[in-house]
Every structure is written in structure tokens, then in C-alpha cells.
Amino acid sequence: MASILVLNGPNLNLLGLREPSTYGTATLADVESICRNTAERLGFSVECQQSNHEGVLIDALHDAGRRVKSGELIGVVFNAGAFTHTSIAIMDAIKGADVPVIEVHISNVHQRESFRHHSYLSAVAAGIVVGFGIDGYRLAIEGLVQQKRCEQ
Ligand code: DQA
């Protein structure tokens, strides 16, 4: 069974505790369980990884690119947290690894501070889901699977 990597960046380990009026009260474990259920319903397995470190996220994207080429993985659902707005290195990793990435943001970043309006990742993402709360992860998995089916 091919797999989907659900990758979460900095501070998303604090979901449920962190600014609940912005991000809600569900935890990262709740998010991962939604992802697992959604992927299984669609015939895929899910691997979940969270890191607060840019280099670890970059290594995970490189590895994901290799695994997409071998057919093990179909792509990555990625909430890069604040690295979205700062990291040219993560943008380069997505492009360099040639890995399909659906960019997810729980909050509607466009309603927030102006520094959150720009994403380095959107230009290299295969799709973007913004502002649907944690349901965005389900939408992103469905979108990634749909894109994969359209390719075949
Ligand atoms: C976020 C939005 C980012 O601006 C912020 O830094 C996060 C979470 C979101 O899911 O809404 O950490 O990616």
C-alpha cells in the first residue's frame, strides 16, 4: 500500500495548548488520527512526522522525494508553520527533491499579520489548503490522492 507523509513543522507539537482561539483545541495526535482515517478510507497508509528543526524537515522532504520516485509514497501534506514565511531552504528542498507537497495552514493566514501573507512554499506546492482548521489536513489528503489519480 502506498503511503502519504504528513509533515508538521515548528510548534505544531503544541497544538491543543497553543493559542487555542487561533488553532483550536485538538492536539497533534487528533490531527494524525484524522489523517490516518482519511488515508485508509482512500486506500493509502500514512506516516506522520513533526519537527521543530528546519534541517530535519529538509531531510524528510529529500527522503520523501526519493520514495515518491520509487513509488512507495505519493506525496507530502505539509504544515511548515512559521518556516512557511521565512525558509528559502525548504522551498529549495521541495523543488530539488521534486516531491508533490500540499501546503496546509490551520488558520487563515491572510486574515492575520502581514508577515504571514507571503509563503515561500506556495510557488512550489502542488496545492494549498488554508483556513479550514484541522479539517484542512483531510482536504489536503483528498486533494493529493485526487491529483495522483488524475495523473494515472
Ligand atoms: C500555521 C500558520 C503560520 O503562520 C504559523 O506560524 C504556524 C501555523 C497554521 O497552521 O495556521 O505555526 O502554519
Side-chain angles (χ1 to χ4, degrees):
M1 188 192 282
S3 189
I4 295 166
L5 175 65
V6 175
L7 188 58
N8 278 291
N11 301 308
L12 290 156
N13 54 314
L14 299 180
L15 272 183
L17 300 172
R18 172 192 186 200
E19 303 174 69
S21 58
T22 302
Y23 299 114
T25 53
T27 64
L28 184 59
D30 296 329
V31 167
E32 292 177 347
S33 139
I34 289 170
C35 291
R36 199 157 288 119
N37 292 340
T38 306
E40 278 169 12
R41 173 167 58 76
L42 297 170
F44 293 87
S45 61
V46 140
E47 297 164 32
C48 298
Q49 190 178 346
Q50 187 275 330
S51 177
N52 295 319
H53 305 281
E54 194 173 16
V56 173
L57 296 168
I58 290 169
D59 288 344
L61 290 163
H62 291 176
D63 189 51
R66 277 191 293 274
R67 294 177 67 208
V68 167
K69 273 163 204 69
S70 75
E72 243 180 286
L73 204 71
I74 65 162
V76 182
V77 167
F78 187 23
N79 186 344
F83 287 144
T84 304
H85 318 298
T86 62
S87 182
I88 295 170
I90 290 180
M91 173 186 76
D92 283 349
I94 295 170
K95 208 171 177 183
D98 193 24
V99 55
V101 166
I102 309 294
E103 176 182 350
V104 175
H105 299 289
I106 296 168
S107 63
N108 182 351
V109 285
H110 299 288
Q111 282 177 345
R112 300 180 63 195
E113 304 96 320
S114 59
F115 61 82
R116 294 184 205 275
H117 297 179
H118 177 258
S119 164
Y120 280 103
L121 313 189
S122 295
V124 294
I128 308 161
V129 180
V130 173
F132 286 91
I134 62 164
D135 199 37
Y137 289 85
R138 174 185 66 81
L139 295 167
I141 289 173
E142 290 174 348
L144 180 66
V145 169
Q146 188 58 33
Q147 282 187 347
K148 172 76 187 164
R149 285 183 182 147
C150 289
E151 262 175 29
Q152 286 168 343

